[in-house]
Structures are given as structure tokens and as C-alpha cells.
């Protein structure tokens, strides 16, 4: 477990719900993978999602930008409901960035090209402006000197910081992270968490699937625990770790916090 040092203050805009999930269900064929999920996320809120393997964490956050489709209930992002309407899906995808465990950079494009692809083709940003923005975000994640390299020439931690910069280039209102540090060698975890902490400090709304409990303690406003496709417990990090309510949560914590 990686310890993060500084706590981040509360930047939540309480009455401004940016994501609303209500009575949401999803099936893969006959398999009921998400069951009656209800979640309101306020603008500026940072939520850590944890739970055992297969509990539906990735599926839940992938539903929020329609990488997966839900079958029942509602998902509303910044006032736009996710339906089959392609306009709505496109709008939500421009607002919601995603960072994956395995970076998902294009190997045949340079770092700079990876960062400008979306802005140029999706946002129709002029190339020069896209490159200036990309360089600014590469500086932010402390990696500007790597701009002309290819992903395969970078370490895992560097590639993940590039992936975060790539998301930022699309100017998202929300960032979703799916185990962003779990594919990294231990010595690279901190450099990625530090970038995430600095985003938190700037007020980014973040939903982070992670088992980095040090990160959860210092950055999250709320921790959700999922099991068998349901959110079975949610609380402030203090309460969640000091006073877990459900037996499944206690068992899970005893397995990861030893
Ligand atoms: N495309 C798919 N088709 C069918 N079943 C799937 C598919 N993707 C995931 N599942 C199943 O759905 C359940 C939830 O998967 P999901 O990937 O959301 O879990 P997770 O909590 O992210 O697990 P992990 O911690 O291992 O990443 C698992 O039982 C998984 O096998
Ligand atoms: Mg997963």
C-alpha cells in the first residue's frame, strides 16, 4: 500500500449533482452484473470504489461513459441522460474522461500525437492549439521531455501519466479511473498517485476504482464498497476504515489491510 502524504480539503459543490445513477441494472446475457445501483456524485466530489474481484466495479464506471450499456434505470451526467441517442452519448463522452489499468495508448503514435488525436478529430481543435494544450498537460504530469517518443519507450508510470494527460486534453468535467496503478511496478505507483492528488486538489470530480487505501484515506470524500453487483456500503474514509458495518466489508478490509 502506498502512503500519500497530504490531505486534500473539501471542494464539493453540495447542491450540484454531476452524475446521477438511479435504480440502475445491467445484465451480461443472463448474468445480473449490476443490481439496483443508486449513486449521486456532486461536482468536485472524489469517490473511491473498492470491492472483491468480479463485484462489478469496472462495469459500473464503464456504464458512466457508455463503454457498457445499462438495461434498466437512469444514468444522468451533467443533465444529459444516457440513452441510445448518439448525440447524448457523444456529449457525455466529451465530458467524462477515462484512465484504464493498461494505459491504452496507441503504440504507433508519438506521445504528442496520442494527446492531440482526440482534440483534433473529435473536438476539431486546430493542430497547433492542440499541441500547445498537450504540451501544457505533459508539463503538468512532469513528462514534457518525452513528447516525441513512442509509448513503448516509456516506463509504465510514465505511460500512465501520459494517459492521464491525454484525458485532460479533452477538458473533461469528470475523470473515471479503473485501477490506474495496479499494473505498475511498486516504485512507479507514487508518481501516478501524486498526479491524481494534484488533480484532486484542483477540484476535479473523480471516481476511482482502486485498492490504494492510502489514496482513499487522503483524497476520497466517500468510499464505496461493492459486492455481487451492488453497492453494499458507503461512508467517509474515516468511518469506512475504522468502523466498517458489513461482514463482507470487514473481511475485505482484513484481506487488503494487513
Ligand atoms: N463482457 C462481459 N461479458 C460477460 N461477463 C462479463 C463481461 N465483463 C465482465 N463480466 C463479468 O461481470 C462481473 C463483473 O466484472 P467487472 O469487470 O465489472 O468486475 P470488477 O469488480 O471490476 O473485478 P476486478 O477487480 O477483477 O477488476 C464478473 O463476474 C465478470 O466475469
Ligand atoms: Mg475491474
Amino acid at each position: 500500500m502506498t502512503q500519500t502524504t497530504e490531505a486534500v480539503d473539501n471542494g464539493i459543490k453540495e447542491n450540484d449533482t454531476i452524475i446521477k445513477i438511479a435504480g440502475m441494472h445491467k445484465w451480461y446475457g443472463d448474468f445480473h452484473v449490476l443490481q439496483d445501483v443508486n449513486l449521486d456524485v456532486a461536482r468536485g466530489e472524489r469517490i473511491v470504489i473498492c470491492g472483491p474481484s468480479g463485484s462489478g466495479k469496472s462495469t459500473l464506471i464503464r456504464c458512466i461513459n457508455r463503454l457498457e450499456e445499462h438495461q434498466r434505470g437512469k444514468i444522468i451526467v451533467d443533465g444529459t441522460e444516457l440513452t441510445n441517442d448518439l448525440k447524448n452519448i457523444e456529449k457525455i463522452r466529451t465530458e467524462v474522461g477515462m484512465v484504464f489499468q493498461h494505459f491504452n495508448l496507441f503504440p504507433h503514435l508519438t506521445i504528442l500525437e496520442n494527446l492531440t488525436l482526440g482534440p483534433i478529430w473529435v473536438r476539431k481543435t486546430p493542430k497547433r492549439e492542440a499541441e500547445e494544450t498537450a504540451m501544457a498537460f505533459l508539463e503538468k504530469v512532469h513528462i514534457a521531455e518525452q513528447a516525441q517518443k513512442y509509448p513503448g519507450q516509456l516506463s509504465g508510470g510514465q505511460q500512465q501519466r501520459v494517459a492521464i494527460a491525454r484525458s485532460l486534453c479533452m477538458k473533461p468535467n469528470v475523470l473515471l479511473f479503473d485501477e490506474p496503478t495496479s499494473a505498475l511496478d511498486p516504485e512507479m505507483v507514487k508518481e501516478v498517485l501524486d498526479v491524481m492528488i494534484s488533480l484532486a486538489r484542483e477540484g476535479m470530480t473523480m471516481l476511482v476504482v482502486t485498492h490504494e487505501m492510502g489514496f482513499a484515506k487522503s483524497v476520497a470524500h466517500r468510499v464505496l464498497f461493492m459486492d455481487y453487483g451492488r453497492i453494499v456500503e458507503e461512508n467517509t474514509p474515516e468511518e469506512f476504515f475504522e468502523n466498517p458495518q458489513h461482514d463482507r466489508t470487514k473481511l475485505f478490509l482484513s484481506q487488503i489491510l494487513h
Side-chain angles (χ1 to χ4, degrees):
M1 193 170 74
T2 306
Q3 288 301 323
T4 46
T5 41
E6 289 173 59
V8 182
D9 62 5
N10 184 338
I12 302 183
K13 308 228 175 4
E14 295 284 356
N15 296 321
D16 188 357
T17 302
I18 190 162
I19 298 174
K20 183 170 193 62
I21 303 179
M24 193 267 274
H25 295 251
K26 173 173 178 56
W27 287 261
Y28 287 121
D30 291 341
F31 178 53
H32 198 173
V33 59
L34 294 176
Q35 306 186 25
D36 194 25
V37 173
N38 295 283
L39 176 66
D40 281 6
V41 182
R43 199 178 298 273
E45 194 173 10
R46 300 180 289 272
I47 295 181
V48 159
I49 303 169
C50 61
S53 181
S55 57
K57 307 179 296 293
S58 297
T59 306
L60 172 60
I61 62 166
R62 290 168 68 86
C63 282
I64 297 173
N65 66 350
R66 199 61 161 203
L67 292 176
E68 298 289 351
E69 190 179 334
H70 63 287
Q71 280 84 38
R72 202 198 289 170
K74 282 185 194 299
I75 302 178
I76 300 167
V77 180
D78 219 355
T80 304
E81 183 173 355
L82 266 177
T83 60
N84 286 329
D85 187 332
L86 285 177
K87 271 213 188 77
N88 287 10
I89 295 174
E90 271 173 32
K91 178 163 187 292
I92 286 173
R93 287 214 179 124
T94 60
E95 289 191 23
V96 179
M98 176 125 183
V99 176
F100 302 88
Q101 182 176 10
H102 292 291
F103 330 137
N104 296 10
L105 300 171
F106 289 111
H108 60 291
L109 298 181
T110 65
I111 299 307
L112 188 62
E113 288 165 346
N114 265 282
L115 265 62
T116 56
L117 193 67
I120 291 173
W121 293 100
V122 180
R123 292 268 202 207
K124 311 290 181 212
T125 308
K127 183 165 183 242
R128 201 174 149 171
E129 188 186 327
E131 287 183 348
E132 280 171 12
T133 304
M135 288 309 300
F137 283 121
L138 284 175
E139 300 221 348
K140 186 179 167 66
V141 302
H142 314 299
I143 211 162
E145 72 285 359
Q146 311 288 349
Q148 299 306 330
K149 290 193 181 167
Y150 289 87
Q153 296 173 295
L154 271 55
S155 73
Q158 290 174 325
Q159 288 187 60
Q160 192 60 298
R161 286 185 281 145
V162 170
I164 294 172
R166 177 183 55 180
S167 284
L168 294 172
C169 285
M170 297 295 281
K171 309 272 172 72
N173 293 330
V174 179
L175 275 182
L176 309 173
F177 294 83
D178 193 357
E179 303 207 36
T181 59
S182 60
L184 301 176
D185 291 337
E187 69 271 22
M188 292 169 193
V189 170
K190 185 171 183 300
E191 68 191 40
V192 171
L193 291 180
D194 283 347
V195 166
M196 293 168 64
I197 291 168
S198 76
L199 290 175
R201 201 169 282 138
E202 290 163 18
M204 178 64 79
T205 307
M206 300 164 78
L207 272 76
V208 185
V209 176
T210 185
H211 292 160
E212 289 290 341
M213 294 300 138
F215 176 82
K217 280 181 186 164
S218 59
V219 172
H221 298 109
R222 251 195 296 172
V223 181
L224 308 185
F225 176 75
M226 290 188 69
D227 199 19
Y228 294 109
R230 292 177 184 273
I231 298 172
V232 295
E233 183 156 352
E234 60 176 292
N235 222 324
T236 61
E238 296 75 26
E239 281 295 306
F240 183 82
F241 292 111
E242 299 307 321
N243 191 17
Q245 300 297 308
H246 289 265
D247 288 346
R248 282 294 299 141
T249 318
K250 290 177 193 165
L251 176 65
F252 176 78
L253 288 175
S254 74
Q255 286 164 340
I256 61 164
L257 300 174
H258 46 245

